């Protein structure tokens, strides 16, 4: 990498940092000041503005893992492996957030931390699949084998999602039905202010995803660079 | 096509000869499945719960656990003395290795299941003979799905540092949909419902089998590559 490109990357990164910061500031104001408290559920309902974006983000991240895994097996280029790994790590973090915020909300509303509802169960299974994916990565030495194996698991794991969805749906379900996209059309099931707050929060989380991806990918690239330099300097003399 | 089938048959035959000589795998799988059923019988109070309600779950957990022993063996045996390298040097398609292993895993597991079923019938006092045909269809679909995904992941796990540990960790979460499906179907069949009542579950299991065999054909080249 030449120095100019590094600087340019830095500048882009800085803009993204500012954008993400502003978006989160806006989201916090919207969540804690602007949006009215929900009538029946009370103040605890505000956790939804973290819960839903985290869920969206983790599913998006796992989808990126899937796409990057396919691209890696097709092109065999190291960068797709880096993208897949970074995305899986971010996805697992936000999937954990979903699993933490969910019970906090469920305890006062449902009267139980956890129920074996379809969506809860499928999120938990998804979390385990991608934790196993990250474990697989620690089990192999860095190199082509690790990348190939992880890519295969990234594909197999994502293809499992429809099966998990239908099997646990037919098994049982009582999660709140989706409110944003309902049978009546988009955004009819919710108050407009709530919808706006959720929208801002979604934007903030999505920006955060790209910010974290950038940092993680840069870190992996630097690691490769260090390895390369080490080999060059240590073994050449 | 004929050549491809011959290659597959050669691998299946090799696995059978090895098993007949050593007799390690089958007895271990059978005793292990029996132990799992016994432990479950001790851990639930059968005078309180209905046997037909816990039975299907216990049966499939036994199949799943002992099947994992078989999967662990199937590629790890090849790691010894560099047999896997030998297999890969054979001028055969990698999918032939996959199908050979899939078929031998499937046959070993099916034979074990046929031995376990009568014992299950005796221990749980469930008469399975009147629903035998639908039950066998469900067991066929479930075992095929288990072996399709299991063979792929077993070939992958055999190259890892902690192979015996990683295979179940990778495999079980991915198997959950099919486990839910087969346990549900087995329960309904033992309650006397016809197969036509559970077409959605059959569709789910069958498409799971087809999709994962397809994915394995496409990705096995990338796993068995050196």
């Amino acid at each position: 990498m030449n120095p100019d490109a590094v600087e340019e990357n830095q500048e882009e990164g800085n803009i993204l940092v500012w954008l993400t910061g502003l978006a989160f500031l806006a989201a916090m104001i919207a969540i804690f000041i602007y949006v009215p408290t929900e009538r029946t559920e009370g103040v605890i309902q505000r956790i939804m503005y973290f819960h839903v974006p985290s869920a969206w983000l983790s599913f998006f991240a796992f989808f990126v893992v899937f796409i990057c895994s396919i691209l890696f097996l097709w092109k065999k280029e190291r960068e797709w492996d880096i993208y897949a790994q970074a995305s899986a790590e971010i996805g697992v973090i936000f999937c954990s957030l979903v699993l933490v915020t969910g019970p906090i909300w469920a305890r006062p509303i449902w009267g139980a931390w956890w129920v074996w509802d379809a969506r809860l169960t499928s999120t938990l299974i998804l979390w385990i699949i991608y934790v196993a994916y990250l474990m697989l990565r620690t089990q192999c030495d860095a190199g082509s084998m690790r990348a190939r194996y992880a890519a295969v698991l990234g594909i197999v794991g994502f293809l499992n999602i429809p099966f998990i969805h239908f099997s646990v749906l037919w098994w049982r379900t009582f999660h709140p039905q989706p409110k944003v996209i309902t049978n009546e059309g988009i955004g009819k099931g919710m108050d407009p202010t709530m919808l706006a707050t959720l929208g801002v929060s979604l934007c903030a989380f999505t920006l955060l995803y790209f910010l974290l991806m950038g940092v993680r990918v840069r870190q992996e690239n630097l690691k490769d660079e260090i390895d390369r330099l080490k080999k060059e300097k240590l073994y050449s003399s | 096509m004929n050549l491809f089938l011959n290659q597959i048959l050669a691998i299946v035959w090799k696995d059978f000869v090895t098993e007949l000589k050593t007799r390690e795998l089958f007895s271990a799988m059978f005793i292990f499945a029996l132990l799992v059923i016994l432990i479950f019988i001790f851990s639930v109070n059968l005078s309180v719960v209905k046997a037909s309600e816990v039975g299907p779950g216990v049966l499939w957990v036994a199949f799943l656990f002992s099947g994992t022993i078989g999967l662990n063996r199937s590629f790890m045996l090849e790691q010894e003395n560099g047999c896997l390298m030998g297999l890969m040097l054979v001028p055969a398609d990698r999918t032939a290795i996959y199908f050979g292993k899939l078929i031998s895993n499937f046959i070993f597991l099916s034979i074990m299941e046929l031995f376990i079923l009568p014992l299950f019938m005796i221990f749980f006092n469930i008469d399975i003979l009147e629903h035998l045909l639908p039950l066998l269809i469900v067991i066929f679909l479930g075992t095929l799905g288990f072996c399709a995904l299991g063979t792929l992941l077993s070939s992958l796990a055999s190259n890892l540092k902690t192979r015996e540990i990683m295979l179940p960790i990778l495999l079980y979460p991915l198997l959950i949909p099919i486990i839910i499906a087969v346990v549900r179907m087995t329960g309904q069949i033992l309650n006397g419902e016809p197969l036509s009542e559970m077409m959605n579950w059959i569709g789910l299991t069958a498409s799971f089998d087809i999709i994962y065999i397809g994915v394995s054909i496409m990705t096995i080249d990338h796993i068995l590559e050196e």
Side-chain angles (χ1 to χ4, degrees):
Chain A
M1 226 190 271
N2 62 43
D4 284 346
V6 174
E7 241 167 58
E8 209 171 272
N9 268 345
Q10 287 278 336
E11 247 170 49
E12 274 173 26
N14 279 337
I15 295 170
L16 198 56
V17 170
W18 281 108
L19 268 179
T20 315
L22 279 177
F24 262 93
L25 194 67
M28 291 302 139
I29 292 171
I31 292 168
F32 290 108
I33 299 167
Y34 167 69
V35 77
T37 306
E38 217 259 349
R39 199 181 301 146
T40 46
E41 293 184 5
V43 80
I44 190 74
Q45 188 266 339
R46 281 170 210 261
I47 207 165
M48 188 271 284
Y49 303 114
F50 296 96
H51 184 75
V52 174
S54 301
W56 142 251
L57 194 51
S58 59
F59 291 134
F60 178 67
F62 295 149
F63 180 66
V64 172
V65 176
F66 176 60
I67 297 295
C68 291
S69 300
I70 292 177
L71 283 171
F72 176 81
L73 288 186
W74 185 21
K75 304 239 157 114
K76 292 276 161 78
E77 281 162 3
R78 166 91 174 115
E79 55 176 317
W80 295 117
D81 182 44
I82 296 177
Y83 288 144
Q85 179 183 6
S87 194
E89 284 171 359
I90 299 168
V92 166
I93 290 173
F94 281 92
C95 202
S96 315
L97 273 182
V98 175
L99 290 172
V100 170
T101 50
I104 295 175
W105 173 87
R107 178 70 187 163
I109 304 298
W110 286 342
W113 295 111
W114 187 271
V115 288
W116 289 101
D117 156 77
R119 243 160 278 196
L120 278 73
T121 315
S122 44
T123 312
L124 182 65
I125 300 170
L126 209 58
W127 184 81
I128 300 175
I129 290 177
Y130 284 93
V131 168
Y133 173 90
L134 292 180
M135 279 178 77
L136 174 70
R137 280 185 166 279
T138 63
Q139 291 287 323
C140 331
D141 300 319
S144 134
M145 190 181 96
R146 181 178 74 181
R148 279 184 285 121
Y149 286 9
V152 170
L153 195 65
I155 294 170
V156 169
F158 191 80
L159 287 178
N160 211 260
I161 291 178
F163 292 110
I164 297 173
H165 176 77
F166 284 111
S167 63
V168 294
L169 193 72
W170 293 332
W171 190 47
R172 50 179 75 158
T173 188
F174 33 83
H175 189 278
Q177 285 307 304
K179 289 271 166 47
V180 180
I181 301 171
T182 57
N183 292 337
E184 296 148 33
I186 295 172
K188 292 275 169 60
M190 248 179 148
D191 187 74
T193 55
M194 288 184 172
L195 203 63
T197 310
L198 187 61
V200 173
S201 192
L202 275 173
C203 285
F205 272 80
T206 312
L207 283 172
L208 182 65
Y209 170 80
F210 287 108
L211 180 68
L212 290 173
M213 270 297 270
V215 172
R216 193 68 185 86
V217 168
R218 196 159 63 232
Q219 194 186 1
E220 262 327 281
N221 277 330
L222 288 176
K223 217 192 224 167
D224 282 359
E225 184 76 3
I226 291 171
D227 280 347
R228 196 183 59 78
L229 286 175
K230 248 189 207 163
K231 272 188 198 135
E232 204 177 283
K233 304 287 177 205
L234 275 179
Y235 302 122
S236 61
S237 54
Chain B
M1 196 62 210
N2 221 350
L3 180 71
F4 187 66
L5 283 179
N6 279 339
Q7 288 166 343
I8 294 174
L9 281 179
I11 292 173
V12 176
W13 181 77
K14 170 192 79 66
D15 280 354
F16 265 82
V17 171
T18 320
E19 176 55 27
L20 280 176
K21 287 261 187 224
T22 58
R23 296 215 179 86
E24 280 171 340
L25 182 61
F26 182 77
S27 48
M29 279 166 75
F30 176 72
I31 297 295
F32 190 72
L34 192 61
L35 280 173
V36 171
I37 290 183
L38 279 184
I39 287 171
F40 268 101
I41 287 178
F42 295 135
S43 65
V44 291
N45 191 346
L46 277 183
S47 57
V48 180
V49 253
K50 246 177 86 185
S52 63
E53 273 170 19
V54 288
V58 174
L59 185 69
W60 278 100
V61 169
F63 288 169
L64 183 69
F65 283 2
S66 62
T68 313
I69 295 185
L71 289 178
N72 256 331
R73 276 298 279 180
S74 106
F75 272 90
M76 257 150 253
L77 201 66
E78 306 289 349
Q79 289 285 345
E80 288 171 24
N81 304 325
C83 293
L84 191 60
M85 197 54 88
L87 264 185
M88 292 198 300
L89 284 173
V90 169
D93 208 36
R94 295 286 146 82
T95 44
I97 302 178
Y98 171 77
F99 275 115
K101 283 291 177 190
L102 170 67
I103 291 169
S104 54
N105 282 334
F106 181 80
I107 294 175
F108 282 139
L109 195 53
S110 304
I111 296 173
M112 195 275 299
E113 287 168 347
L114 288 181
F115 276 87
I116 285 292
L117 272 180
L119 290 171
F120 171 75
M121 190 171 120
I122 295 166
F123 285 153
F124 280 88
N125 282 315
I126 300 172
D127 189 10
I128 56 172
L129 288 178
E130 46 183 311
H131 321 293
L132 196 59
L133 188 66
L135 190 64
L136 286 181
I137 292 173
V138 168
I139 290 181
F140 172 81
L141 285 174
T143 310
L144 185 62
F146 173 77
C147 291
L149 193 52
T151 308
L152 178 75
L153 291 181
S154 156
S155 73
L156 187 152
S158 66
N159 284 320
L160 302 177
K161 281 179 228 155
T162 50
R163 28 186 96 143
E164 289 91 350
I165 308 171
M166 274 316 276
L167 179 64
I169 290 179
L170 296 175
L171 182 61
Y172 289 173
L174 296 169
L175 282 178
I176 287 175
I178 212 174
I179 294 298
I180 295 177
V182 290
V183 170
R184 266 295 150 99
M185 283 194 282
T186 311
Q188 287 178 341
I189 286 169
L190 293 182
N191 281 333
E193 289 177 38
L195 270 184
S196 53
E197 293 274 302
M198 46 195 110
M199 280 325 271
N200 56 346
W201 288 117
I202 290 189
L204 183 107
T205 320
S207 46
F208 186 98
D209 298 356
I210 293 166
I211 285 186
Y212 278 108
I213 290 178
V215 170
S216 304
I217 293 172
M218 284 190 269
T219 54
I220 194 77
D221 280 344
H222 299 288
I223 293 177
L224 299 176
E225 177 189 283
E226 225 62 58

